[in-house]
């Protein structure tokens, strides 16, 4: 067992004796003594394994293990996200998509088959549910083509400019 | 009676498995074994980090980072080498990186730490005390490069021979000796400039 007496009697310059160095690192009085014999030991006194992180070893270990678990979970989640899709799942996805596309196309074809007069009726009914106040306005001039009607109306500010309204659908009611 | 019997029963000797076996157990998926390893190496890792970095909180953070890296890279450990050598390499790499980043941040800031001596000390000469030596070291070692400082610490405080340090840092032994020589020289100059009373006590070889 190393004590101050043994240390002082055995310490010499350039020593590599682990027991002497261990004592040197815990005893200030012997450090002063050793420095007077071997100036080189001054910074060697700072060695040793006696340093404990702030909060203690248990808290430190708990922190490390918590972070390890978090990283582990992150890794697992990432692995699941990047896992290749099995062929059964692929088949199910493909079947769902095919059903959706077929249904959409059938609905579209069915709508196209409805006569345009019926469509007008539907539109009219829709408009009728939200009646708007109709105001008759004077018309300056009207031009008509196959698919559009252009109407010139006086401007609301009563200046010389005219307001141009273009209607492209001939099927619209005439009183619009 | 039962007590006597129990005393006569051969007790199972508590054998601490070595680091290599522990690593093997961890690789087999035992997270508790990793906790044992962390507990076993905490003071060693923290001490080296603290000495290189010189700040308790930063050293704690860096030590935790070292253990996380250890966990993530344990598969890469080659059991043909000593576990401590591999661990020290990880510690020095992380700590040196941190110091390099820190140095570039604090480049303009000079340490103003100065030892305050009492009148009694001045009359009796310098009384070398560990805490004071620690302050002096933190101050004068700030002029060293992170690598020089790490090598000096491993040699002088961790008692590692230059051959072992060379293995840890992956360089030649002559490079380690070179760094040691330059570190000592630079520190001696700093001691003379800032702490002349300590410069007489510490020689540069």
């Amino acid at each position: 067992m190393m004590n101050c007496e043994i240390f002082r009697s055995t310490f010499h310059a350039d020593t590599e004796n682990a027991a002497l160095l261990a004592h040197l690192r815990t005893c200030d009085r012997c450090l002063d003594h050793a420095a007077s014999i071997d100036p080189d030991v001054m910074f060697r006194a700072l060695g040793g394994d006696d340093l404990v992180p702030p909060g203690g070893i248990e808290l430190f270990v708990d922190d490390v293990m918590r972070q390890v678990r978090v990283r582990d979970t992150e890794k697992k989640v990432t692995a699941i996200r990047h896992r290749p899709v099995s062929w059964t799942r692929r088949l199910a996805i493909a079947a769902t998509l095919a059903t959706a596309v077929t249904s959409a196309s059938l609905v579209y074809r069915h709508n196209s088959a409805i006569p345009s007069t019926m469509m007008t009726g539907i539109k009219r009914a829709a408009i009728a549910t939200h009646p708007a106040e109709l105001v008759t306005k004077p018309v300056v001039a009207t031009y008509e083509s196959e698919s559009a009607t252009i109407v010139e109306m006086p401007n609301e500010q009563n200046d010389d400019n005219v307001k141009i309204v273009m209607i492209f659908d001939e099927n619209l009611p005439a009183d619009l | 009676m039962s007590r006597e019997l129990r005393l006569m029963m051969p007790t199972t000797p508590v054998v601490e498995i070595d680091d290599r076996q522990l690593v093997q157990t961890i690789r087999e998926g035992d997270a508790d074994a990793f906790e044992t390893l962390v507990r076993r190496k905490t003071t060693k890792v923290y001490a080296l980090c603290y000495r290189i970095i010189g700040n308790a909180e930063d050293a704690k953070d860096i030590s935790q980072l070292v253990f996380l890296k250890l966990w993530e890279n344990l598969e890469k450990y080659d059991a043909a080498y000593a576990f401590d050598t591999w661990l020290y390499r990880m510690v020095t790499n992380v700590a040196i990186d941190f110091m390099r980043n820190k140095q570039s941040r604090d480049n303009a800031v000079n340490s103003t730490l100065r030892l305050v001596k009492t009148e009694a000390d001045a009359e009796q000469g310098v009384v070398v005390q560990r805490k004071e030596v620690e302050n002096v070291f933190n101050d004068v070692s700030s002029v060293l490069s992170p690598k020089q400082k790490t090598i000096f610490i491993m040699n002088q405080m961790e008692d590692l021979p230059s051959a072992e340090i060379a293995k840890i840092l992956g360089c030649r032994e002559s490079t380690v000796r070179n760094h040691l020589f330059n570190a000592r020289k630079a520190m001696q100059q700093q001691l003379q400039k800032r702490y002349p009373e300590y410069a007489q006590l510490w020689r540069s070889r």
Side-chain angles (χ1 to χ4, degrees), chain A residues 14 25 28 32 39-40 42-49 51-52 54 58 60 63 67-68 71-72, chain B residues 39 42-43 46 51 63-64 67-68 71-72 128 130 133 156-157 159 184 187 198 201-203 205:
Chain A
D14 298 327
R25 286 163 178 163
D28 273 352
D32 197 38
D40 221 32
M42 195 167 87
F43 291 134
R44 295 206 82 168
L46 300 179
D49 277 347
L51 290 180
V52 173
E58 286 310 311
F60 179 89
D63 276 354
Q67 290 180 53
V68 162
R71 289 216 178 175
D72 239 20
Chain B
R39 193 169 278 112
T42 292
T43 50
Y46 174 74
R51 281 167 197 141
S63 307
Q64 289 187 344
F67 283 114
L68 286 178
W71 170 254
E72 284 169 354
V128 184
R130 207 170 168 220
V133 173
Q156 292 290 292
M157 298 173 197
D159 304 327
R184 284 172 175 281
M187 284 172 72
Y198 276 88
L201 285 176
W202 195 71
R203 65 171 183 233
R205 281 193 285 203

Side-chain angles (χ1 to χ4, degrees), chain B residues 48 81-93 96 147 150-151 154-155 158 160-172 176:
Chain B
L48 184 55
Y81 300 95
F83 179 76
D84 277 352
T85 305
W86 191 67
L87 178 64
Y88 267 52
R89 180 175 293 176
M90 206 167 273
V91 175
T92 51
N93 283 344
I96 288 174
K147 201 163 191 175
T150 304
I151 289 173
M154 284 201 284
N155 181 255
E158 305 289 326
L160 294 174
S162 45
E164 181 69 19
I165 298 171
K167 256 192 224 171
I168 291 168
L169 296 178
C171 61
R172 282 186 297 187
V176 171

Side-chain angles (χ1 to χ4, degrees), chain A residues 7-169:
Chain A
F7 179 86
R8 285 167 193 227
S9 61
T10 52
F11 181 80
H12 59 87
D14 298 327
T15 185
E16 288 296 331
N17 184 313
L20 287 174
L21 287 172
H23 183 77
L24 178 79
R25 286 163 178 163
T26 53
C27 179
D28 273 352
R29 286 189 308 153
C30 287
L31 170 62
D32 197 38
H33 169 79
S36 65
I37 297 170
D38 179 10
D40 221 32
V41 300
M42 195 167 87
F43 291 134
R44 295 206 82 168
L46 300 179
D49 277 347
D50 58 342
L51 290 180
V52 173
I57 293 178
E58 286 310 311
L59 190 69
F60 179 89
V61 175
D62 284 351
D63 276 354
V64 171
M65 292 312 291
R66 197 176 305 121
Q67 290 180 53
V68 162
R69 276 179 220 116
V70 168
R71 289 216 178 175
D72 239 20
T73 313
E74 280 174 1
K75 258 188 194 169
K76 278 175 194 161
V77 170
T78 314
I80 289 168
R81 267 190 210 147
H82 293 104
R83 197 171 54 191
V85 183
S86 66
W87 69 270
T88 43
R89 280 180 71 91
R90 284 182 194 194
L91 203 64
I93 292 166
T96 312
L97 282 174
T99 312
V101 169
T102 313
S103 315
S105 105
L106 281 174
V107 168
Y108 177 75
R109 279 186 195 174
H110 176 72
N111 282 350
S112 305
I114 298 172
S116 60
T117 48
M118 275 180 76
M119 290 296 284
T120 313
I122 292 165
K123 277 180 191 165
R124 204 176 276 171
I127 291 161
T129 53
H130 298 93
E133 276 185 34
L134 295 176
V135 180
T136 311
K137 289 189 173 179
V139 173
V140 177
T142 307
Y143 312 95
E144 283 185 357
S145 73
E146 278 184 13
S147 60
T149 305
I150 300 171
V151 181
E152 280 183 11
M153 294 167 69
N155 202 330
E156 283 167 4
Q157 288 161 354
N158 290 328
D159 52 15
D160 289 336
N161 294 330
V162 291
K163 198 173 172 182
I164 296 172
V165 179
M166 294 176 80
I167 302 162
F168 289 94
D169 192 346

Side-chain angles (χ1 to χ4, degrees), chain B residues 48-59:
Chain B
L48 184 55
C49 284
Y50 176 74
R51 281 167 197 141
I52 296 172
I53 292 162
N55 172 296
E57 281 302 322
D58 286 343

